[in-house]
């Protein structure tokens, strides 16, 4: 019975995490239509692919954790497609920089780390080191949600923190936290417990600062956003807005 409940929450987590992985699809569709990456950055997608690799490895080597591997296999495929589109339409300098990042961060580094872990370590030590790598990269990914929350607090507006994305982020953290407690998996529990907490804070901030808009304002905002909103903000822009920064943990 307990195993069936763990599987249920693992399957539910696959759904919520899958939604987070595909959440930038609309802006990549925009890149395809405009045949340009404009001022978008590729670094978040390079890091998300790296994170997915380590979670796949962890899910494969740890007994009864295949559901962790399956969703991150899907996530890795999604990020590869996103990066392929980015490389296809990026300007020359950005294309070279992104290609270097992909080779170093998504090929050389994970391959080296996984091979060393696989052949130099054994048993629980191997699992623990793989889990630790997953946890470290997952916690680093929380910079984006924190930036979004800072923007909401400073501007007293939830304009740049979409409710649906915050809700999915909250549910994803909650589902995987329950899974981690039932499966007694600390490496899944710590980053997702943090995600659940931050997701809760996002919803609280949304409740505090949400203000209804007239239909005319909404239409104008959508038109302006479609024309000016970048996929990934520069560091300076992150101080002002953050729409697409979501940490994908499991």
């Amino acid at each position: 019975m307990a195993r069936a409940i763990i599987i249920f929450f693992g399957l539910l987590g696959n759904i919520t995490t899958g939604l987070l992985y595909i959440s930038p699809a609309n802006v990549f569709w925009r890149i395809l239509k405009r045949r340009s990456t404009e001022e978008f950055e590729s670094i978040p997608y390079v890091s998300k692919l790296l994170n997915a690799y380590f979670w796949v490895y962890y899910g494969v080597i740890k007994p009864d954790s295949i559901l962790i591997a399956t969703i991150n296999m899907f996530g890795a495929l999604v990020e590869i497609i996103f990066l392929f589109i980015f490389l296809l339409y990026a300007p020359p300098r950005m294309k070279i920089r992104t290609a270097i990042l992909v080779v170093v961060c998504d090929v050389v580094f994970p391959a080296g780390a996984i091979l060393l872990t696989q052949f130099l370590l054994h048993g629980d030590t191997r699992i623990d080191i793989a889990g630790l790598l997953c946890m470290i990269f997952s916690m680093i990914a929380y910079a984006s949600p924190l930036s979004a929350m800072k923007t909401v607090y400073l501007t007293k507006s939830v304009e740049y923190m979409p409710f649906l994305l915050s809700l999915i982020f909250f549910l994803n953290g909650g589902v995987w936290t329950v899974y981690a407690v039932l499966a007694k998996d600390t490496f899944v529990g710590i980053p997702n417990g943090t995600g659940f907490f931050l997701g809760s804070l996002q919803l609280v901030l949304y409740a505090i600062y949400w203000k209804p808009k007239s239909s005319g304002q909404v239409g104008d905002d959508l038109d302006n956003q479609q024309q000016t909103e970048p996929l990934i903000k520069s560091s300076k822009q992150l101080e002002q807005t953050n729409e697409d920064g979501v940490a994908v943990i499991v």
Side-chain angles (χ1 to χ4, degrees), residues 203-228:
L203 294 179
V204 169
L205 286 174
Y206 202 95
I208 293 173
Y209 295 115
W210 178 79
K211 297 176 182 178
K213 291 183 177 182
S214 66
S215 58
Q217 285 178 308
V218 172
D220 290 343
D221 288 347
L222 288 175
D223 289 341
N224 292 336
Q225 185 175 349
Q226 290 174 353
Q227 293 172 8
T228 64

Side-chain angles (χ1 to χ4, degrees), residues 24-36:
N26 62 325
V27 284
F28 275 94
W29 177 245
R30 169 181 167 177
I31 289 175
L32 283 171
K33 290 194 298 183
R34 299 190 178 187
R35 296 180 176 274
S36 172

Side-chain angles (χ1 to χ4, degrees), residues 135-158:
M135 190 171 66
I136 290 171
F137 285 109
S138 295
M139 297 299 289
I140 291 173
Y142 280 120
S144 292
L146 286 173
S147 179
M149 293 165 64
K150 178 183 177 182
T151 299
V152 171
Y153 177 75
L154 292 177
T155 63
K156 312 299 181 186
S157 170
V158 297

Side-chain angles (χ1 to χ4, degrees), residues 4-223:
I5 297 175
I6 292 173
I7 292 174
F8 170 77
F9 276 97
L11 291 172
L12 192 58
N14 272 232
I15 295 172
T16 56
T17 304
L19 291 174
L20 289 179
Y21 269 124
I22 64 175
S23 60
N26 62 325
V27 284
F28 275 94
W29 177 245
R30 169 181 167 177
I31 289 175
L32 283 171
K33 290 194 298 183
R34 299 190 178 187
R35 296 180 176 274
S36 172
T37 59
E38 299 172 1
E39 297 182 6
F40 302 165
E41 287 287 345
S42 61
I43 293 176
Y45 302 96
V46 172
S47 63
K48 285 166 70 177
L49 178 57
L50 174 63
N51 197 33
Y53 283 157
F54 283 117
W55 279 115
V56 169
Y57 178 61
Y58 178 75
V60 169
I61 65 173
K62 181 170 183 179
D64 301 321
S65 299
I66 192 63
L67 289 175
I68 294 176
T70 54
I71 184 55
N72 285 286
M73 289 177 185
F74 169 77
L77 177 62
V78 169
E79 299 304 329
I80 288 171
I81 292 172
F82 285 167
L83 286 170
F84 176 79
I85 293 172
F86 194 95
L87 285 168
L88 193 63
Y89 294 110
R93 290 183 61 184
M94 177 64 72
K95 187 174 296 187
I96 293 172
R97 192 180 79 168
T98 300
I100 293 173
L101 284 172
V102 168
V103 171
V104 174
C105 298
D106 291 334
V107 178
V108 176
F109 175 68
I114 290 172
L115 287 173
L116 288 174
T117 303
Q118 183 67 26
F119 292 108
L120 297 182
L121 304 175
H122 305 281
D124 290 341
T125 303
R126 176 192 294 163
I127 295 173
D128 289 345
I129 294 300
L132 184 62
L133 287 170
C134 292
M135 190 171 66
I136 290 171
F137 285 109
S138 295
M139 297 299 289
I140 291 173
Y142 280 120
S144 292
L146 286 173
S147 179
M149 293 165 64
K150 178 183 177 182
T151 299
V152 171
Y153 177 75
L154 292 177
T155 63
K156 312 299 181 186
S157 170
V158 297
E159 181 180 1
Y160 302 108
M161 190 176 72
F163 173 76
L164 185 58
L165 215 52
S166 297
L167 179 61
I168 295 174
F169 184 57
F170 164 79
L171 292 174
N172 185 66
V175 168
W176 282 111
T177 299
V178 174
Y179 172 94
V181 171
L182 295 173
K184 297 180 175 61
D185 192 324
T186 303
F187 297 115
V188 173
I190 291 177
N192 283 287
T194 304
F196 178 71
F197 174 71
L198 291 177
S200 301
L201 289 182
Q202 285 189 347
L203 294 179
V204 169
L205 286 174
Y206 202 95
I208 293 173
Y209 295 115
W210 178 79
K211 297 176 182 178
K213 291 183 177 182
S214 66
S215 58
Q217 285 178 308
V218 172
D220 290 343
D221 288 347
L222 288 175
D223 289 341

